[in-house]
Amino acid sequence: MDTAPSAPHGNTGTPPSTRSRRRVATAAALASAVEWYDYFVFGIAAALVLGPAFFPSGSEAAGVLASFATFAVGFLARPVGGVIAGQLGDRHGRKPMLVLALTVMGLATTAIGLLPSYDTIGLAAPILLVVLRLLQGIAVGAQWGGAMLMATEYAPEGKRGLYGSLVQLGVPLGVITANSAFLLAGALTDERSFSTWGWRLPFLVGVLVLLLARYIHIRVEETPAFRAAEEKLATAEQAAVARRSPLREILRHHLRTVLLAGGSFAVNTATFYILITGVLDYATRELDMRRTSVLAVSLLVSLTQLALIPAAAALSDRIGRLRVYAAGAVGLLLWAVPMFLLIDTASLVWLGVGTFVGSCFLSIMYGPQAALFAELFTAEMRYTGASLGYQISAILGGGLAPFVMVLLLEASGTSMAVSGYIMALSVIALVSIWLLVRRAASASAPGGGAEPGATKVQG
C-alpha cells in the first residue's frame, strides 16, 4: 500500500500563494459549517417539535416517525444535488456550484422558519415542509463536493488530508451552532412559546448564508486543478472527452468505486445521525432526560471533534488514508454495544462518556474521508464521483438512521437492536475498505488493473 505523502492533483502552473490557499480553505470551511448548520437545525427540530406542529397524531411515536421520515427525505434528495452539481461542476467549475448550493440552502431554511403549521393551513403544511426539505437535501448534496474540492485542490503537496479536514470541520461546527441556537431559543422562551414559535428562530438565521455565498462569488477563485484540466482540453480528442457526461463515465467505468466508497462511509453517517438526532429523541422521550441537558452534552461532545478531525486527517497524510479510516470503523464496531449500555443508564455523565467515545471513532473516519474520496477520481470527473459516493452513504446510513432507530426500539423494546444496526454497517464498511485496499494495491502494481481514469489512493 502506498503510504507516501499525497501527490499534487496535477500540473497547475504557478502554485497558489499561501494567502490564497488560506482564503480558499477558510471560505470552504465556512461554507460547509453554515450549510450543515441549516441542515442540522431540521434534524433537531424533527426530534423535538416538528411531529406535533406538522404531523398531528394520536400517537407520539407516530408523530416522531413522520417527522423523521421527512428528515430522511432530505437524504434521498442529496444524490440528486450531487449529480446535478457534479455534472456542472466537472464542466464549469467548483465555485459556481458551491455558490448556488449555499443560496438554495439559505432560502429553503429561512422558508421553513416562516412556514405555517398544520393547525393554520392544514395538509399544505406537511407538503410544503417536505418540499423545502427536498431543497435542503439537493443543496447539501451539491455543497459537499464543491467545498471539499475547493479545499483539497488548493492544498499544498503532502497536506491534502489536512486541508480536506477543514471542510469536514463544518459538520461539528454545524452541530455546535445548531445546538447552541436551540439552547438559546429554549432559554428565551417558555415551553409553550418554544413549541409554537421559539423553534423557528434557529431556521431564520439561515438567511445569513446568502452573505457568505456572495463573498465566495466575489473573492474566491476557481481551483488550480480544475483550471489545469480545462487547459488539457485544447485538442479535438480531449474536447470530445469533455463533451461526454461525467455521470455516464462514472456509471460506466467507476460504479464499483462509487459503491465501495458509499459502503465504507454508511456506518459513519448512520452513527452520527443516531447520536445527534436519534439519541436526542430517545433520551427525552423514553429516558425522561431534560432536553436542554441532552443538547448541552451533544454540544460539548461536538467540540472535541474540532481537534480530533484535523488530527486524524494529518495522520492520514503520513501513514495513509485507508489505515486511519479502517481504525475508525473497527472502533465503531467494538463500541456499539457499550455505547448504548451507557446511554440507557439515563445519566448525563455516562451519556457523555458513551457519545464522546463514539464521536472519537467517527472523527477518525471523518478526518481523512474528503481526501480519500477526492483521490478515487481524476479532476475531470472528481466532483461527480466523490459526491455520488458520499451521498450514497448518506442514504444508506444517515437519512434512514433515526427512523430505523425508532422502528427498532418500538419493535424490540431494547436499544441493543440499535447497536446491532451499527455493528452490521461497520462490517459492511470494513469489507468495503478491504476491497478499496486491494484496488489500491492493484493500482500500485506494474500493469495493475485499476479502472481507467482512477487516481492512486493512499493505503
Side-chain angles (χ1 to χ4, degrees):
M1 292 179 291
D2 176 26
T3 57
S6 53
H9 278 311
N11 180 18
T12 60
T14 304
S17 67
T18 300
R19 182 179 180 182
S20 178
R21 293 184 197 274
R22 289 175 179 173
R23 182 192 303 126
V24 171
T26 301
L30 287 174
S32 178
V34 297
E35 190 94 348
W36 286 115
Y37 165 84
D38 283 3
Y39 202 67
F40 291 149
V41 291
F42 193 103
I44 296 173
L48 298 177
V49 296
L50 292 187
F54 292 92
F55 305 97
S57 165
S59 166
E60 186 178 2
V64 172
L65 280 172
S67 63
F68 278 164
T70 307
F71 178 66
V73 163
F75 288 82
L76 297 177
R78 281 169 61 169
V80 177
V83 168
I84 294 172
Q87 292 274 90
L88 297 175
D90 281 331
R91 288 179 170 179
H92 305 294
R94 300 12 176 152
K95 187 180 81 168
M97 295 303 101
L98 181 57
V99 171
L100 179 61
L102 288 169
T103 302
V104 172
M105 177 63 87
L107 293 174
T109 302
T110 304
I112 292 173
L114 299 172
L115 186 64
S117 67
Y118 184 93
D119 291 339
T120 304
I121 61 173
L123 189 60
I127 292 175
L128 289 173
L129 183 67
V130 171
V131 171
L132 292 171
R133 182 59 179 170
L134 282 169
L135 290 176
Q136 278 195 320
I138 290 172
V140 83
Q143 173 272 148
W144 182 81
M148 179 270 291
L149 293 179
M150 291 292 289
T152 58
E153 291 185 347
Y154 259 96
E157 184 174 352
K159 293 186 178 180
R160 195 182 305 152
L162 180 59
Y163 269 61
S165 73
L166 298 178
V167 173
Q168 307 295 70
L169 288 179
V171 171
L173 285 172
V175 173
I176 291 166
T177 52
N179 276 285
S180 299
F182 271 95
L183 284 170
L184 181 59
L188 295 175
T189 59
D190 56 31
E191 194 69 29
R192 183 176 180 180
S193 297
F194 178 83
S195 63
T196 55
W197 60 267
W199 66 268
R200 298 177 181 273
L201 298 177
F203 285 90
L204 298 179
V205 178
V207 72
L208 298 178
V209 176
L210 303 178
L211 299 178
L212 179 61
R214 179 67 176 170
Y215 172 82
I216 292 175
H217 176 69
I218 295 173
R219 298 296 303 276
V220 175
E221 296 180 355
E222 189 53 76
T223 70
F226 179 79
R227 295 199 303 268
E230 280 193 313
E231 292 172 3
K232 292 179 181 178
L233 300 179
T235 67
E237 180 181 355
Q238 290 292 337
V241 172
R243 286 192 293 269
R244 298 176 189 169
S245 163
L247 178 61
R248 186 181 300 117
E249 290 297 302
I250 288 291
L251 295 179
R252 180 178 298 173
H253 299 297
H254 306 279
L255 180 59
R256 187 179 180 191
T257 299
V258 168
L259 294 177
L260 289 177
S264 73
F265 200 63
V267 65
N268 190 289
T269 53
T271 307
F272 176 78
Y273 285 103
I274 284 172
L275 290 182
I276 70 160
T277 301
V279 168
L280 176 58
D281 166 64
Y282 177 61
T284 55
R285 185 167 57 89
E286 299 286 348
L287 302 181
D288 294 321
M289 300 178 73
R290 293 180 61 222
R291 179 188 71 234
T292 54
S293 300
V294 178
L295 283 172
V297 168
S298 179
L299 188 153
L300 291 173
V301 168
S302 295
L303 282 171
T304 64
Q305 293 185 302
L306 297 180
L308 291 171
I309 287 175
L315 181 63
S316 78
D317 281 329
R318 296 175 61 88
I319 69 171
R321 317 276 180 235
L322 291 170
R323 290 176 181 172
V324 177
Y325 201 63
V330 171
L332 290 176
L333 174 66
L334 299 178
W335 188 245
V337 170
M339 179 170 67
F340 270 95
L341 290 176
L342 292 174
I343 291 171
D344 284 342
T345 65
S347 161
L348 277 179
V349 173
W350 291 120
L351 171 71
V353 171
T355 55
F356 167 71
V357 175
S359 73
C360 288
F361 295 125
L362 291 178
S363 299
I364 290 171
M365 288 190 73
Y366 205 60
Q369 185 249 348
L372 172 63
F373 279 29
E375 289 170 350
L376 292 173
F377 308 97
T378 58
E380 293 81 4
M381 60 187 72
R382 186 173 292 139
Y383 203 138
T384 302
S387 292
L388 270 181
Y390 185 76
Q391 304 312 335
I392 285 174
S393 73
I395 292 179
L396 296 176
L400 295 175
F403 184 84
V404 170
M405 178 176 173
V406 174
L407 286 180
L408 290 173
L409 289 170
E410 290 291 312
S412 67
T414 173
S415 63
M416 290 299 98
V418 184
S419 297
Y421 173 53
I422 294 174
M423 294 173 72
L425 289 176
S426 298
V427 172
I428 293 173
L430 289 170
V431 171
S432 299
I433 292 168
W434 176 68
L435 291 173
L436 285 172
V437 169
R438 290 189 61 186
R439 296 172 76 78
S442 174
S444 300
E451 292 170 332
T455 56
K456 188 176 179 182
V457 180
Q458 287 189 317

